[in-house]
Amino acid sequence: MYYSTTYPSPVGKITLACDGGNLVGLWMEGQKYHGDTIPEEMVEKSDMTVFDDAKKWMDRYFAGETPDVFELPLRPIGSKFRQEVWSILCEIPYGKVITYGDIAKKMAVKMGKESMSSQAVGGAVGHNPISIIIPCHRVVGANGSLTGYAGGVSTKVRLLELEGADMSRLFVPTKGTAL
């Protein structure tokens, strides 16, 4: 059985999901793929320890603190490939960014391949079911483009600014901008 609750955040209402003991989802209102990894109907239930812990984590994060991703019991649902990509996301330091290409290189090494498609990595990053905590907002295009955030590019910018990321080489692409 899966449970859900909501959290009012500075970036809008957030839905949290758990399996009873582990956080399995965190989505912003209107986010692409909202709840799509949960295999059954979620039951609204706020009084759960994992939700209390996740809300405290979020309170600290939005207050400008640097809570560690490994403080929470996370169990994102996805393929082995996606799980590996999400594991790499968890290694990105607070306030820093990495490119899709950098992640593709790390995945190629993990999988014993010469190279890996940045587009395949982008698909896995985009389907991250535990946004913010598994920091997919810290992934940018090779040229510094702030692209590919399921919660919206303006939210990605707000999260990176909150973290004090160096925004000087980053930009919001205009329509038709090549990566």
Side-chain angles (χ1 to χ4, degrees):
M1 182 166 282
Y2 293 92
Y3 304 94
S4 69
T5 190
T6 58
Y7 171 83
S9 84
V11 294
K13 185 169 93 173
I14 289 176
T15 299
L16 299 164
C18 79
D19 62 6
N22 302 285
L23 196 65
V24 297
L26 186 156
W27 304 277
M28 289 162 273
E29 194 166 38
Q31 179 176 331
K32 282 186 199 175
Y33 318 116
H34 190 287
D36 75 336
T37 58
I38 307 302
E40 59 190 63
E41 193 70 29
M42 292 183 278
V43 176
E44 179 80 25
K45 187 174 181 187
S46 296
D47 61 339
M48 302 192 79
T49 302
V50 67
F51 287 151
D52 294 340
D53 292 344
K55 289 175 181 182
K56 288 174 190 166
W57 192 101
M58 298 294 286
D59 287 343
R60 291 172 41 223
Y61 176 82
F62 285 114
E65 295 179 29
T66 58
D68 193 294
V69 64
F70 301 106
E71 292 176 20
L72 297 171
L74 305 179
R75 188 172 287 160
I77 300 167
S79 69
K80 184 174 192 260
F81 178 81
R82 287 183 178 180
Q83 296 279 344
E84 292 289 345
V85 171
W86 300 334
S87 172
I88 291 170
L89 296 180
C90 291
E91 298 169 5
I92 307 169
Y94 182 92
K96 303 292 182 191
V97 296
I98 189 173
T99 69
Y100 293 96
D102 292 334
I103 296 172
K105 287 175 190 167
K106 289 177 184 251
M107 283 298 294
V109 169
K110 277 188 171 193
M111 298 177 75
K113 295 186 174 190
E114 254 183 67
S115 64
M116 172 64 55
S117 162
S118 294
Q119 290 175 319
V121 165
V125 171
H127 284 84
N128 168 22
I130 306 179
S131 297
I132 302 174
I133 295 172
I134 296 178
C136 50
H137 60 279
R138 297 179 189 153
V139 183
V140 300
N143 63 356
S145 173
L146 293 166
T147 184
Y149 190 59
V153 174
S154 62
T155 301
K156 183 174 192 162
V157 169
R158 286 181 68 188
L159 295 172
L160 290 171
E161 287 174 342
L162 171 76
E163 294 183 10
D166 178 3
M167 303 292 285
S168 63
R169 68 170 200 88
L170 306 178
F171 68 96
V172 175
T174 56
K175 269 193 166 176
T177 302
L179 298 177

